[in-house]
Amino acid sequence: MAEPSHNKPRRRREPRNHRVTVMLNDSEMRVLQRYLDRYDVSNRSRLIREALMRNILDRFDKDSPTLFD
């Protein structure tokens, strides 16, 4: 059974001091806007940041050495 969220320790929030700028073409922007509208996403920066970090961490996990490599 899942543990209630009030028992989980809170992580310390680190300030975001580094800006990253991304350029999209018209069709990429239309797709992004369609996604935001369809899934009622209110924080575009959070969506992009989480998608980027998920992709990076998945790649690191896939590329990490295993016992039988």
Side-chain angles (χ1 to χ4, degrees), residues 41-56:
V41 176
S42 61
N43 190 330
R44 183 173 64 185
S45 294
R46 180 179 178 186
L47 171 78
I48 294 169
R49 185 173 49 251
E50 288 177 355
L52 173 68
M53 295 310 296
R54 186 177 321 114
N55 186 286
I56 290 170

Side-chain angles (χ1 to χ4, degrees), residues 3-67:
E3 186 176 278
S5 62
H6 64 274
N7 289 339
K8 292 182 182 178
R10 287 192 171 195
R11 287 190 292 160
R12 185 177 151 263
R13 274 190 164 170
E14 293 186 43
R16 293 190 175 94
N17 299 322
H18 306 282
R19 180 181 303 261
V20 176
T21 303
V22 176
M23 301 290 290
L24 302 176
N25 63 30
D26 290 341
S27 61
E28 292 167 336
M29 190 62 200
R30 279 194 303 272
V31 169
L32 176 59
Q33 191 59 53
R34 185 174 174 190
Y35 183 91
L36 298 172
D37 293 342
R38 177 178 287 180
Y39 296 104
D40 198 28
V41 176
S42 61
N43 190 330
R44 183 173 64 185
S45 294
R46 180 179 178 186
L47 171 78
I48 294 169
R49 185 173 49 251
E50 288 177 355
L52 173 68
M53 295 310 296
R54 186 177 321 114
N55 186 286
I56 290 170
L57 293 173
D58 286 348
R59 175 71 58 96
F60 280 160
D61 189 44
K62 187 169 59 170
D63 290 347
S64 65
T66 62
L67 180 62

